């Protein structure tokens, strides 16, 4: 069931320490997988607050694209736990968690988040903000998580083999035969890379840039967060219509920060392993759904991309 005004008023009064005198709700213009609203809250004691309400219950899937998500990737508790227990304490640059509910008995799962005034990185030209995103990502990947919450995804061999099977079932017959033959070699290389806490969908549309020098990044939509090779996130950041030289520059920005923090691999090793991450990412897009096509910013011939990665890796 959608979050009611009564639920919001009670929760906000408890979190803000004042009864709510007025509450206005409006859909967030920016596309999201789940239902997201902008709240304008007037407090009885005076003052106003603006924030985001994100309803992460499966019933609140906001679009056909979201509804096509495979059931095994969904856990409505995950994002609340990530904000509360992982990235919030890290203070890495995410919207502040202002409240939230995870009530399995009522199938009620939602978050209240700081409203960020930023421009999506996807709408910005190549430049300092993109380099800052690569460095931000490297900094995230060298931070310790401690005991990872059980709700995080595990990007392991079983995960990747499952996506290969899904991709082969949906791709044109025979089109991924070469990829399949070399897949275990790819996994050996990729899974030898240091494991880290990963965003899981570090596409530029999920990075908001607040203007300034240097630009301040605020990363959103942690629904696919998990533990796995950090280069999965770098593959997402560098997906799309980049030239090879542009992609390499971003990868080297990442490597400089990562190695300065203790990462022990050469730039050449990173670039080769990044190709492995790009290949498995392509398989995931191919295997995502038989009834849905990705949005324009992610639209590619992913079968061709997987095959090109296999060629570059000499599988």
């Amino acid at each position: 069931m959608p979050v009611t005004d009564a639920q919001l008023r009670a929760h906000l009064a408890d979190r803000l320490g004042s009864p709510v005198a007025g509450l206005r709700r409006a859909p967030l213009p920016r596309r999201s997988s789940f239902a997201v609203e902008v709240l304008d809250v007037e407090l009885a004691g005076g003052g106003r607050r603006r924030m985001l309400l994100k309803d992460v219950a499966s019933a609140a899937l906001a679009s056909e694209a979201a509804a096509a998500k495979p059931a095994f990737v969904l856990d409505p508790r995950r994002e609340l736990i990530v904000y509360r227990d992982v990235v919030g304490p890290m203070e890495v640059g995410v919207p502040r968690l202002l409240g939230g509910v995870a009530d399995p008995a009522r199938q009620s799962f939602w978050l209240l988040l700081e409203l960020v005034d930023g421009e999506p990185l996807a709408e910005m030209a190549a430049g300092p903000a993109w380099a800052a995103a690569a460095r931000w990502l490297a900094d995230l990947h060298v931070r310790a998580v401690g005991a990872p919450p059980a709700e995080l995804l595990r990007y392991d061999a079983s995960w990747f083999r499952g996506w290969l099977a899904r991709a082969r079932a949906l791709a044109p017959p025979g089109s991924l035969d070469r990829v399949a033959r070399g897949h275990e070699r790819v996994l050996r290389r990729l899974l030898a890379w240091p494991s880290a806490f990963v965003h899981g969908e570090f596409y530029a549309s999920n990075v908001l840039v607040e203007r300034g020098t240097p630009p301040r990044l605020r990363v959103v939509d942690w629904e696919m967060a998990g533990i796995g090779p950090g280069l999965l996130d770098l593959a997402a950041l560098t997906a799309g219509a980049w030239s090879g030289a542009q992609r390499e520059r971003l990868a080297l920005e990442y490597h400089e920060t990562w190695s300065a923090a203790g990462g022990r691999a050469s730039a050449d090793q990173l670039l080769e392993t990044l190709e492995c991450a790009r290949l498995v990412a392509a398989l995931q897009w191919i295997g995502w759904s038989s009834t849905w096509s990705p949005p324009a910013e992610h639209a590619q011939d992913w079968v061709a991309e997987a095959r090109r990665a296999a060629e570059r890796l000499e599988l």
Side-chain angles (χ1 to χ4, degrees), residues 170-186:
L170 295 177
S175 61
L176 295 176
D177 286 354
R178 178 177 181 178
V179 172
R181 286 193 296 270
H183 192 251
E184 289 300 312
R185 288 171 54 197
V186 168

PDB file of all heavy atoms in Angstrom, residues 170-186:
ATOM      1  N   LEU A 170      18.125 -15.314 -23.655  1.00  0.00           N
ATOM      2  CA  LEU A 170      17.413 -14.191 -24.265  1.00  0.00           C
ATOM      3  C   LEU A 170      18.089 -13.670 -25.530  1.00  0.00           C
ATOM      4  O   LEU A 170      17.437 -13.015 -26.346  1.00  0.00           O
ATOM      5  CB  LEU A 170      17.267 -13.051 -23.248  1.00  0.00           C
ATOM      6  CG  LEU A 170      16.388 -13.353 -22.029  1.00  0.00           C
ATOM      7  CD1 LEU A 170      16.389 -12.168 -21.067  1.00  0.00           C
ATOM      8  CD2 LEU A 170      14.962 -13.676 -22.455  1.00  0.00           C
ATOM      9  N   ALA A 171      19.393 -13.915 -25.692  1.00  0.00           N
ATOM     10  CA  ALA A 171      20.119 -13.409 -26.859  1.00  0.00           C
ATOM     11  C   ALA A 171      19.844 -14.291 -28.076  1.00  0.00           C
ATOM     12  O   ALA A 171      19.391 -15.438 -27.953  1.00  0.00           O
ATOM     13  CB  ALA A 171      21.613 -13.374 -26.562  1.00  0.00           C
ATOM     14  N   PRO A 172      20.099 -13.786 -29.279  1.00  0.00           N
ATOM     15  CA  PRO A 172      19.951 -14.622 -30.481  1.00  0.00           C
ATOM     16  C   PRO A 172      20.781 -15.893 -30.357  1.00  0.00           C
ATOM     17  O   PRO A 172      21.905 -15.864 -29.834  1.00  0.00           O
ATOM     18  CB  PRO A 172      20.480 -13.712 -31.600  1.00  0.00           C
ATOM     19  CG  PRO A 172      20.248 -12.318 -31.091  1.00  0.00           C
ATOM     20  CD  PRO A 172      20.475 -12.390 -29.610  1.00  0.00           C
ATOM     21  N   PRO A 173      20.262 -17.025 -30.822  1.00  0.00           N
ATOM     22  CA  PRO A 173      20.979 -18.303 -30.694  1.00  0.00           C
ATOM     23  C   PRO A 173      22.395 -18.223 -31.244  1.00  0.00           C
ATOM     24  O   PRO A 173      22.618 -17.727 -32.358  1.00  0.00           O
ATOM     25  CB  PRO A 173      20.117 -19.274 -31.505  1.00  0.00           C
ATOM     26  CG  PRO A 173      18.741 -18.676 -31.461  1.00  0.00           C
ATOM     27  CD  PRO A 173      18.948 -17.185 -31.478  1.00  0.00           C
ATOM     28  N   GLY A 174      23.338 -18.682 -30.456  1.00  0.00           N
ATOM     29  CA  GLY A 174      24.731 -18.736 -30.890  1.00  0.00           C
ATOM     30  C   GLY A 174      25.502 -17.446 -30.739  1.00  0.00           C
ATOM     31  O   GLY A 174      26.730 -17.445 -30.867  1.00  0.00           O
ATOM     32  N   SER A 175      24.822 -16.336 -30.448  1.00  0.00           N
ATOM     33  CA  SER A 175      25.506 -15.044 -30.450  1.00  0.00           C
ATOM     34  C   SER A 175      26.482 -14.876 -29.297  1.00  0.00           C
ATOM     35  O   SER A 175      27.405 -14.046 -29.377  1.00  0.00           O
ATOM     36  CB  SER A 175      24.480 -13.905 -30.428  1.00  0.00           C
ATOM     37  OG  SER A 175      23.686 -13.964 -29.245  1.00  0.00           O
ATOM     38  N   LEU A 176      26.297 -15.633 -28.241  1.00  0.00           N
ATOM     39  CA  LEU A 176      27.175 -15.496 -27.079  1.00  0.00           C
ATOM     40  C   LEU A 176      28.029 -16.740 -26.855  1.00  0.00           C
ATOM     41  O   LEU A 176      28.582 -16.936 -25.760  1.00  0.00           O
ATOM     42  CB  LEU A 176      26.343 -15.194 -25.815  1.00  0.00           C
ATOM     43  CG  LEU A 176      25.608 -13.860 -25.809  1.00  0.00           C
ATOM     44  CD1 LEU A 176      24.757 -13.735 -24.549  1.00  0.00           C
ATOM     45  CD2 LEU A 176      26.591 -12.683 -25.895  1.00  0.00           C
ATOM     46  N   ASP A 177      28.175 -17.589 -27.868  1.00  0.00           N
ATOM     47  CA  ASP A 177      28.935 -18.830 -27.695  1.00  0.00           C
ATOM     48  C   ASP A 177      30.386 -18.547 -27.311  1.00  0.00           C
ATOM     49  O   ASP A 177      30.944 -19.189 -26.412  1.00  0.00           O
ATOM     50  CB  ASP A 177      28.894 -19.673 -28.972  1.00  0.00           C
ATOM     51  CG  ASP A 177      27.542 -20.352 -29.173  1.00  0.00           C
ATOM     52  OD1 ASP A 177      26.693 -20.260 -28.258  1.00  0.00           O
ATOM     53  OD2 ASP A 177      27.334 -20.953 -30.239  1.00  0.00           O
ATOM     54  N   ARG A 178      31.008 -17.577 -27.998  1.00  0.00           N
ATOM     55  CA  ARG A 178      32.409 -17.272 -27.681  1.00  0.00           C
ATOM     56  C   ARG A 178      32.522 -16.722 -26.262  1.00  0.00           C
ATOM     57  O   ARG A 178      33.438 -17.087 -25.517  1.00  0.00           O
ATOM     58  CB  ARG A 178      32.963 -16.257 -28.685  1.00  0.00           C
ATOM     59  CG  ARG A 178      34.398 -15.848 -28.390  1.00  0.00           C
ATOM     60  CD  ARG A 178      34.937 -14.905 -29.448  1.00  0.00           C
ATOM     61  NE  ARG A 178      36.311 -14.531 -29.166  1.00  0.00           N
ATOM     62  CZ  ARG A 178      37.046 -13.747 -29.949  1.00  0.00           C
ATOM     63  NH1 ARG A 178      36.550 -13.283 -31.100  1.00  0.00           N
ATOM     64  NH2 ARG A 178      38.294 -13.437 -29.619  1.00  0.00           N
ATOM     65  N   VAL A 179      31.615 -15.859 -25.893  1.00  0.00           N
ATOM     66  CA  VAL A 179      31.607 -15.304 -24.537  1.00  0.00           C
ATOM     67  C   VAL A 179      31.478 -16.425 -23.508  1.00  0.00           C
ATOM     68  O   VAL A 179      32.189 -16.460 -22.498  1.00  0.00           O
ATOM     69  CB  VAL A 179      30.456 -14.298 -24.381  1.00  0.00           C
ATOM     70  CG1 VAL A 179      30.310 -13.855 -22.930  1.00  0.00           C
ATOM     71  CG2 VAL A 179      30.673 -13.093 -25.294  1.00  0.00           C
ATOM     72  N   ALA A 180      30.567 -17.356 -23.779  1.00  0.00           N
ATOM     73  CA  ALA A 180      30.332 -18.447 -22.834  1.00  0.00           C
ATOM     74  C   ALA A 180      31.575 -19.323 -22.680  1.00  0.00           C
ATOM     75  O   ALA A 180      31.905 -19.761 -21.571  1.00  0.00           O
ATOM     76  CB  ALA A 180      29.148 -19.291 -23.293  1.00  0.00           C
ATOM     77  N   ARG A 181      32.281 -19.572 -23.783  1.00  0.00           N
ATOM     78  CA  ARG A 181      33.466 -20.426 -23.701  1.00  0.00           C
ATOM     79  C   ARG A 181      34.557 -19.800 -22.829  1.00  0.00           C
ATOM     80  O   ARG A 181      35.304 -20.509 -22.149  1.00  0.00           O
ATOM     81  CB  ARG A 181      34.006 -20.711 -25.111  1.00  0.00           C
ATOM     82  CG  ARG A 181      33.158 -21.694 -25.913  1.00  0.00           C
ATOM     83  CD  ARG A 181      33.915 -22.179 -27.146  1.00  0.00           C
ATOM     84  NE  ARG A 181      34.183 -21.091 -28.083  1.00  0.00           N
ATOM     85  CZ  ARG A 181      33.362 -20.729 -29.073  1.00  0.00           C
ATOM     86  NH1 ARG A 181      32.202 -21.374 -29.245  1.00  0.00           N
ATOM     87  NH2 ARG A 181      33.683 -19.756 -29.892  1.00  0.00           N
ATOM     88  N   GLY A 182      34.645 -18.489 -22.856  1.00  0.00           N
ATOM     89  CA  GLY A 182      35.686 -17.825 -22.078  1.00  0.00           C
ATOM     90  C   GLY A 182      35.215 -17.271 -20.749  1.00  0.00           C
ATOM     91  O   GLY A 182      35.991 -16.609 -20.045  1.00  0.00           O
ATOM     92  N   HIS A 183      33.960 -17.544 -20.391  1.00  0.00           N
ATOM     93  CA  HIS A 183      33.374 -16.893 -19.222  1.00  0.00           C
ATOM     94  C   HIS A 183      34.101 -17.231 -17.931  1.00  0.00           C
ATOM     95  O   HIS A 183      34.321 -16.359 -17.074  1.00  0.00           O
ATOM     96  CB  HIS A 183      31.892 -17.269 -19.122  1.00  0.00           C
ATOM     97  CG  HIS A 183      31.125 -16.434 -18.136  1.00  0.00           C
ATOM     98  ND1 HIS A 183      30.675 -16.932 -16.941  1.00  0.00           N
ATOM     99  CD2 HIS A 183      30.739 -15.138 -18.180  1.00  0.00           C
ATOM    100  CE1 HIS A 183      30.022 -15.984 -16.289  1.00  0.00           C
ATOM    101  NE2 HIS A 183      30.050 -14.890 -17.011  1.00  0.00           N
ATOM    102  N   GLU A 184      34.497 -18.480 -17.749  1.00  0.00           N
ATOM    103  CA  GLU A 184      35.174 -18.854 -16.510  1.00  0.00           C
ATOM    104  C   GLU A 184      36.536 -18.157 -16.392  1.00  0.00           C
ATOM    105  O   GLU A 184      36.949 -17.781 -15.291  1.00  0.00           O
ATOM    106  CB  GLU A 184      35.330 -20.370 -16.408  1.00  0.00           C
ATOM    107  CG  GLU A 184      34.023 -21.097 -16.147  1.00  0.00           C
ATOM    108  CD  GLU A 184      33.362 -20.675 -14.842  1.00  0.00           C
ATOM    109  OE1 GLU A 184      34.054 -20.629 -13.806  1.00  0.00           O
ATOM    110  OE2 GLU A 184      32.144 -20.377 -14.859  1.00  0.00           O
ATOM    111  N   ARG A 185      37.212 -17.955 -17.512  1.00  0.00           N
ATOM    112  CA  ARG A 185      38.467 -17.193 -17.477  1.00  0.00           C
ATOM    113  C   ARG A 185      38.214 -15.764 -17.042  1.00  0.00           C
ATOM    114  O   ARG A 185      38.976 -15.186 -16.250  1.00  0.00           O
ATOM    115  CB  ARG A 185      39.136 -17.210 -18.857  1.00  0.00           C
ATOM    116  CG  ARG A 185      39.745 -18.548 -19.243  1.00  0.00           C
ATOM    117  CD  ARG A 185      40.181 -18.537 -20.705  1.00  0.00           C
ATOM    118  NE  ARG A 185      41.078 -17.425 -21.004  1.00  0.00           N
ATOM    119  CZ  ARG A 185      41.345 -17.003 -22.241  1.00  0.00           C
ATOM    120  NH1 ARG A 185      40.752 -17.596 -23.286  1.00  0.00           N
ATOM    121  NH2 ARG A 185      42.188 -16.014 -22.446  1.00  0.00           N
ATOM    122  N   VAL A 186      37.136 -15.189 -17.551  1.00  0.00           N
ATOM    123  CA  VAL A 186      36.764 -13.834 -17.158  1.00  0.00           C
ATOM    124  C   VAL A 186      36.501 -13.769 -15.659  1.00  0.00           C
ATOM    125  O   VAL A 186      36.966 -12.852 -14.954  1.00  0.00           O
ATOM    126  CB  VAL A 186      35.521 -13.366 -17.949  1.00  0.00           C
ATOM    127  CG1 VAL A 186      34.940 -12.082 -17.354  1.00  0.00           C
ATOM    128  CG2 VAL A 186      35.880 -13.155 -19.409  1.00  0.00           C
TER     129      VAL A 186
END
